[in-house]
Amino acid sequence: MGTQSGRVALVSGGGRGIGAAISRRLAADGATVAVNYRRDEAAAKATVAAIIADGGHAVAYQASIDDPDQTAVMTAQVQADLGTVDILVCNAGIASRGNSLVDTDPAEFERLMRTHVYGAATLCRLLVPAMRTADRGDVVVISSTATRGPLSHSGPYTMAKVALEAYAQTLAVEEVANGLHVNIVAPGLVTTEMGDRLVRAAAGLSQAADLDERSPYSHVCRPEEVADVVAYLVSDQASFLNGQRIYVDGGGSRF
């Protein structure tokens, strides 16, 4: 508690799933958190309420990250309300539709790239210049183990995450002279709504947690375990880490 006191974090897609766990963890560590959401206002407000109930500080902000104009309005409001953002977590993401590459509509490739890559790039373009003046600046992008080895019928998602990692690794090189830390967290299957949908489609199960007994350490990754890694990367304990990718999958689990 208190290790991030005085810092301001913006978590895109911060109202649900992995993003909500990251928002709660950073707030528990003392940061003031801007919880971004696209459509699920109720979930974002519930995350904010939980943070405040635990003694933290958070505010919900609506914007679709794939829309540069909405993102610009949101980031300006966050900075006006809370001050300079010095922790940016690019977590907002969407799944592809499970078609083979040759059966994928070109619009789907564009939709995935706009959300995962262009959305993160817009956030960085708007927030990194001010972040350079902070005592410390951190950008963490949430990727996927899909970048380690592609799976069938997930091409647009994998392509977007690979491009996102390339963006982050380049940003890490470009901004190290300005004192920024840019790192990647790449979870495998996680017990979220998206994870549940994935196992229903791919394995005929009702929820990701049904795979607990077949998973490393007897459980599928929980959102809080991803949040723990993000919290570490933006902490003083990771003061000499930059341009790193950490897989959070129990050592290579797949189903």
Side-chain angles (χ1 to χ4, degrees), residues 52-136:
I52 293 172
D54 288 338
H57 303 280
V59 183
Y61 294 89
Q62 192 280 330
S64 184
I65 296 302
D66 65 354
D67 185 321
D69 293 335
Q70 289 187 32
T71 303
V73 171
M74 177 195 67
T75 54
Q77 191 62 57
V78 169
Q79 293 177 103
D81 294 344
L82 307 179
T84 298
V85 173
D86 50 14
I87 301 173
L88 170 61
V89 183
C90 298
N91 166 76
I94 55 176
S96 52
R97 292 173 177 166
N99 297 316
S100 68
L101 286 174
V102 297
D103 291 329
T104 296
D105 189 306
E108 183 173 348
F109 292 106
E110 182 181 353
R111 181 173 65 93
L112 271 288
M113 292 294 288
R114 279 203 320 268
T115 298
H116 291 271
V117 187
Y118 303 153
T122 299
L123 285 167
C124 290
R125 176 174 57 82
L126 294 168
L127 295 175
V128 162
M131 196 180 292
R132 294 169 182 152
T133 67
D135 291 337
R136 171 170 173 161

Side-chain angles (χ1 to χ4, degrees), residues 117 120-122 124-125 128 141 162-172 182:
V117 187
T122 299
C124 290
R125 176 174 57 82
V128 162
V141 304
V162 169
L164 175 63
E165 290 194 4
Y167 179 87
Q169 289 166 341
T170 304
L171 187 69
V182 183

